[in-house]
Amino acid sequence: MILLASRSSGRLSTLRAAGVEPLVRASSVDEEAVLHELANRRRATGLPAPSAAEQVQALARAKALDVAADIDPQEAEVVVGCDSMLEIDGRVVGKPTDAKDARERWRVMSGGTGTLYTGHFLVRTTNEAIAEGVSSATVRFGSPSRDEIEAYIASGEPLWCAGAFTIDGLGGAFVEGVEGDPHGVVGLSLPLLRRLVIELGGSWTDLWAQGRGRTETESDR
């Protein structure tokens, strides 16, 4: 059984559509503190600032380990932590801080392209084995009108999304194309997750049966 260390509705929906019914438990990780520590470590060793891929991987790791520390192996065999960030115009951004920030993001993104990075970190609770990886996809944005952007911001959706957009919700109409795994843009790359599950000695297709069994049991109550 997989436990998703995230309350992201997009990640949960992606897993369910792929036949996997995970347990869900959000981490209590202070994301700013994790990124601050990462930047300080690199600075202390004379390395450049962490890349987008390094940042999302550090956050995915912290989230997975935080949740795995309190999980009984009988409850879930694998804990999955994820995090996403968008790199555009040389800047790495996560969720916008407010409506003003989201508006500025869309001013920069409109008509342009960005790269969405999603870090994945898996912990096997029975032996603490780990597997990790980062997916990336190039996103080509449309040019929504000012009124469309204002309506989108008013919906609240971009305020809880990395990069201030989705492709599986209201924001999908403002995305012209994706080069790479679209699931990674939603927040969880299925091909990468499958490879990581196998790396830990698991079977992806076995998770389908576990998901069906869990769903059927719950629906019978």
Side-chain angles (χ1 to χ4, degrees):
M1 178 65 68
I2 276 185
L3 187 150
L4 178 63
S6 169
R7 294 202 186 278
S8 163
S9 58
R11 292 187 182 114
L12 179 58
S13 296
T14 296
L15 282 174
R16 284 177 168 168
V20 180
E21 184 67 31
L23 297 173
V24 176
R25 190 167 303 173
S27 76
S28 56
V29 165
D30 182 335
E31 297 187 15
E32 290 299 321
V34 171
L35 294 179
H36 186 66
E37 181 183 354
L38 174 64
N40 283 344
R41 283 202 311 268
R42 292 184 64 84
R43 192 178 302 115
T45 55
L47 295 172
S51 66
E54 289 166 334
Q55 291 181 61
V56 294
Q57 195 65 354
L59 289 171
R61 177 188 180 95
K63 292 175 181 180
L65 293 177
D66 177 66
V67 172
D70 295 323
I71 292 298
D72 186 327
Q74 301 271 338
E75 189 177 1
E77 187 176 2
V78 176
V79 175
V80 180
C82 295
D83 195 84
S84 301
M85 287 185 178
L86 177 72
E87 185 172 42
I88 188 164
D89 250 13
R91 293 181 57 217
V92 179
V93 296
K95 298 174 184 176
T97 55
D98 53 27
K100 181 180 178 182
D101 191 22
R103 192 175 293 112
E104 174 60 19
R105 297 272 184 87
W106 271 99
R107 185 191 69 77
V108 174
M109 295 188 307
S110 291
T113 60
T115 303
L116 197 291
Y117 293 89
T118 296
H120 302 66
F121 194 92
L122 277 59
V123 182
R124 188 161 193 164
T125 57
T126 53
N127 59 7
E128 298 183 350
I130 64 171
E132 60 184 316
V134 177
S135 70
S136 65
T138 300
V139 182
R140 189 170 75 256
F141 297 100
S143 300
S145 68
R146 181 177 300 179
D147 286 347
E148 287 176 321
I149 291 174
E150 289 303 321
Y152 186 40
I153 292 171
S155 76
E157 182 180 274
L159 300 180
W160 50 263
C161 303
F165 77 98
T166 66
I167 63 169
D168 61 333
L170 300 178
F174 306 137
V175 174
E176 296 291 337
V178 173
E179 183 180 335
D181 178 17
H183 296 111
V185 180
V186 176
L188 191 151
S189 169
L190 291 174
L192 175 56
L193 181 60
R194 171 184 164 272
R195 292 196 297 272
L196 296 178
V197 166
I198 293 171
E199 188 177 325
L200 288 180
S203 165
W204 179 254
T205 53
D206 281 353
L207 294 175
W208 297 344
Q210 292 173 17
R212 284 196 298 273
R214 178 175 164 79
T215 302
E216 289 164 5
T217 300
E218 290 180 347
S219 66
D220 289 341
R221 291 175 183 169

